[in-house]
Amino acid sequence: MVRFQNVGMRYGPGPEVLRDVSFELGTGSFHFLAGPSGAGKTSLLKLLYLALRPSRGLISMFGQDVSTASRAALPMLRRRIGVVFQDFRLLDHLSALDNVALPLRIAGADEKRTREHVVELLTWVGLGDRLEARPATLSGGEKQRVAIARAVIARPSLLLADEPTGNVDPEMAQRLMYLFVELNKLGTAVVLATHDTHLLEQFRFPVMRLRAGTLSIDRNAA
Amino acid sequence: MSRPRKKAVSDLQLEVDKSARFLPWALAVMVFLAALALSGALALDGTIEGWRRGVSSKLTVQIADRPGQPMQPRLQAAAEILRGVPGIAEVQIVERSAVEALLQPWLGSAALQSDLPLPGMIDVTLQDNAALSVDAVNAQLQTAVPGARIDDPKPWLDRLVQLGRLLQSLGGSIVLLVGMAAAAMVIFATRAGLSARRDTIELLHLIGAEDGYIARQFQRHVAAQALRGGILGAGLAAALLIGIQLLAGGIGTGLLPGLQLLWWHWLLLPLLPLAAAGLAIVTARWTVLGELRAML
């Protein structure tokens, strides 16, 4: 579903932040992405959610060569990707409900069904009573749950999450992890960037480790 | 418990943009100016048509007063000759009282009561598309009635028609220029709106929004602004034009006959806000799509 082949990434004339990165993500796979700060995690995620094009190498997503795909082809690819940004990137002037509904509205979904789905999902993540709340009035953990709900509302084929459990209490972290695992069971490939070693130990999914721009895959078996 | 109805909020929150608040007012001024220029150009139509008809269908014959020669028989003789000329539809001797009425504003009634020598005048109406040689008829008249001559208004009416057409093109050019200025303002406001929302637009792109989705929000926003401004501008222009029409009343009907707005000219006024909205929509779309092409 996703294939990176000898991908290199540099910003302008600077040094390469990713070097010869090669891996494949199959349908229904689950990977953690780990590595120290500055190792290139964010750049790799940006390549995965199509915010950047690689400086070299080949990236194929959903059967399309992303390095050469036209701008017009990108929206349809992006609609199959859900992203939980580390800084959430919620729209401050929209309610939690409207923020979560965005991907469906952009895709032109039926408004009544959109609302039903959004209410159901927000209730599931414990925000059923905060539907109309603006992000400014939400706590860090609540914002994170809204961001996660927005990322998964359209049932993406690929879910990318940058520290999605960083701001919530352990109980909610578990609950969110189960949400990711459930989605994964339904066929969504998940890449979850985290520093949380407990998570890596508890959920024995393979770990993509980045060190100074180079990637290695750790099976993370018990 | 019923919840108050929520006002629809766009993803880009264009409705709170402070930098674009000037747009409806500026567009109101633009539509106001365009409405005046357009109305002027259209109102001239009737006047020009009157002049043009005058060029092709009217002649005046003047017979100079000569001491010892009574005017009436000379007028009759000239009229007789004119009636025999092919291409002339009607010959009408202008009564002395009518000539006096024409001159009274300039000379006053006292001068006219004395035995002021006045020229005799004959109004000649030509048939439609008559091919008449003014010079030949002039020669014929002067032989039979010395002192008679055809006053051919064609040369100066021709120039008046040209002047009218020039004024009309000027009005058209003003409408065009105002339209270009309005488009430039929409471009400016749209670019400012885009650059203030780069992060949001990038997010919408990452969620899968096409450029058209973002452009449509700008289109809706500027269309509403242009409509509001346009209605205000066209309304003010209409009020001013009605005022002018009422005040002017009879003034100018002598020199500028037919200078007035016809019913269908008035119908164009409410179309101006729609035209402004259309222009704003096309311009905003073109600007947004152009700018977004530079983003990934």
Side-chain angles (χ1 to χ4, degrees):
Chain A
M1 192 173 69
V2 176
R3 195 152 62 97
F4 275 49
Q5 264 182 302
N6 301 317
V7 170
M9 181 67 219
R10 68 168 81 236
Y11 295 95
E16 276 198 326
V17 293
L18 292 174
R19 275 193 296 279
D20 291 318
V21 171
S22 298
F23 63 90
E24 266 186 59
L25 302 176
T27 307
S29 63
F30 199 124
H31 289 82
F32 287 115
L33 175 61
S37 299
K41 288 201 300 287
T42 304
S43 296
L44 182 59
L45 285 172
K46 280 186 172 175
L47 286 172
L48 278 166
Y49 60 71
L50 305 176
L52 291 175
R53 289 194 203 252
S55 311
R56 65 184 172 88
L58 189 98
I59 298 179
S60 155
M61 295 187 95
F62 314 116
Q64 278 208 48
D65 180 356
V66 169
S67 335
T68 57
S70 69
R71 273 195 83 238
L74 296 181
M76 286 305 156
L77 293 175
R78 285 168 172 155
R79 286 181 195 179
R80 301 181 64 180
I81 306 170
V83 190
V84 183
F85 300 95
Q86 193 171 11
D87 54 356
F88 319 131
R89 299 188 73 171
L90 301 174
L91 299 186
D92 288 336
H93 63 282
L94 296 185
S95 65
L97 190 144
D98 286 333
N99 264 293
V100 176
L102 258 186
L104 296 177
R105 288 188 179 143
I106 283 172
D110 172 68
E111 186 57 36
K112 188 167 168 281
R113 289 186 57 192
T114 294
R115 200 184 152 86
E116 283 170 12
H117 279 148
V118 172
V119 171
E120 189 183 344
L121 183 56
L122 279 173
T123 307
W124 200 86
V125 296
L127 294 173
D129 55 347
R130 310 296 319 264
L131 296 177
E132 297 299 334
R134 300 288 156 102
T137 66
L138 297 173
S139 71
E142 287 172 329
K143 282 185 205 168
Q144 193 151 33
R145 282 179 273 159
V146 174
I148 290 169
R150 184 181 67 191
V152 303
I153 188 73
R155 288 273 195 87
S157 306
L158 172 63
L159 177 70
L160 308 167
D162 200 353
E163 298 285 356
T165 56
N167 284 289
V168 292
D169 57 62
E171 194 191 337
M172 184 47 77
Q174 288 288 321
R175 202 171 155 83
L176 293 176
M177 272 308 292
Y178 284 120
L179 169 63
F180 296 141
V181 171
E182 284 304 313
L183 264 174
N184 178 243
K185 282 182 186 160
L186 292 170
T188 297
V190 179
V191 176
L192 203 153
T194 184
H195 283 108
D196 188 345
T197 48
H198 295 299
L199 277 185
L200 303 190
E201 282 166 15
Q202 190 189 352
F203 296 87
R204 291 285 173 175
F205 294 120
V207 182
M208 302 161 77
R209 281 188 202 284
L210 269 172
R211 276 191 198 85
T214 313
L215 183 84
S216 61
I217 307 241
D218 171 2
R219 292 286 125 210
N220 194 26
Chain B
M1 194 179 76
S2 71
R3 233 187 355 228
R5 271 184 77 84
K6 200 159 62 94
K7 198 179 161 198
V9 185
S10 68
D11 309 344
L12 291 174
Q13 213 188 9
L14 294 165
E15 55 283 346
V16 300
D17 202 344
K18 286 198 178 77
S19 67
R21 281 199 188 146
F22 76 95
L23 199 59
W25 297 104
L27 289 175
V29 173
M30 294 291 170
V31 168
F32 176 75
L33 293 176
L36 292 189
L38 191 67
S39 308
L42 289 172
L44 266 179
D45 239 6
T47 309
I48 292 173
E49 182 53 29
W51 286 336
R52 211 187 50 74
R53 263 202 310 273
V55 168
S56 57
S57 68
K58 287 278 187 195
L59 294 174
T60 308
V61 174
Q62 273 195 55
I63 300 173
D65 181 72
R66 291 199 165 182
Q69 294 182 17
M71 182 57 79
Q72 205 52 36
R74 296 170 68 209
L75 278 169
Q76 293 293 355
E80 209 51 49
I81 290 168
L82 289 167
R83 285 195 185 99
V85 174
I88 287 179
E90 201 187 333
V91 176
Q92 177 86 46
I93 294 173
V94 181
E95 298 297 328
R96 185 182 158 94
S97 57
V99 178
E100 282 174 0
L102 280 174
L103 292 173
Q104 192 185 7
W106 282 272
L107 302 180
S109 46
L112 288 168
Q113 271 164 13
S114 64
D115 247 357
L116 187 73
L118 291 180
M121 290 177 78
I122 303 171
D123 269 345
V124 178
T125 306
L126 303 181
Q127 287 168 358
D128 286 343
N129 305 318
L132 187 80
S133 163
V134 172
D135 289 341
V137 182
N138 220 354
Q140 203 182 339
L141 267 180
Q142 279 172 358
T143 317
V145 185
R149 105 189 133 74
I150 296 179
D151 191 6
D152 185 5
K154 188 172 165 51
W156 64 270
L157 275 179
D158 264 346
R159 253 171 293 167
L160 269 182
V161 169
Q162 273 175 9
L163 177 71
R165 294 280 180 230
L166 191 73
L167 286 173
Q168 280 190 311
S169 353
L170 193 69
S173 310
I174 289 173
V175 173
L176 201 69
L177 277 175
V178 163
M180 283 162 68
M185 281 190 298
V186 171
I187 291 174
F188 174 76
T190 304
R191 281 198 180 145
L194 276 169
S195 70
R197 289 173 180 73
R198 257 182 204 272
D199 284 351
T200 307
I201 289 168
E202 192 198 28
L203 176 74
L204 293 178
H205 270 154
L206 292 179
I207 293 176
E210 288 165 334
D211 291 350
Y213 177 87
I214 292 158
R216 275 194 294 281
Q217 301 202 17
F218 277 92
Q219 287 165 231
R220 271 197 293 273
H221 180 60
V222 294
Q225 288 189 309
L227 267 183
R228 255 185 297 153
I231 288 169
L232 179 66
L236 285 178
L240 182 68
L241 289 168
I242 291 170
I244 289 176
Q245 199 124 329
L246 289 178
L247 282 176
I251 303 175
T253 47
L255 185 60
L256 300 172
L259 184 69
Q260 60 174 345
L261 288 168
L262 305 176
W263 63 269
W264 67 270
H265 294 155
W266 288 104
L267 286 188
L268 289 177
L269 278 180
L271 292 183
L272 279 176
L274 294 178
L279 177 72
I281 288 172
V282 171
T283 310
R285 182 173 183 81
W286 178 79
T287 309
V288 172
L289 295 183
E291 295 276 314
L292 291 187
R293 228 169 276 139
M295 295 174 82
L296 182 61

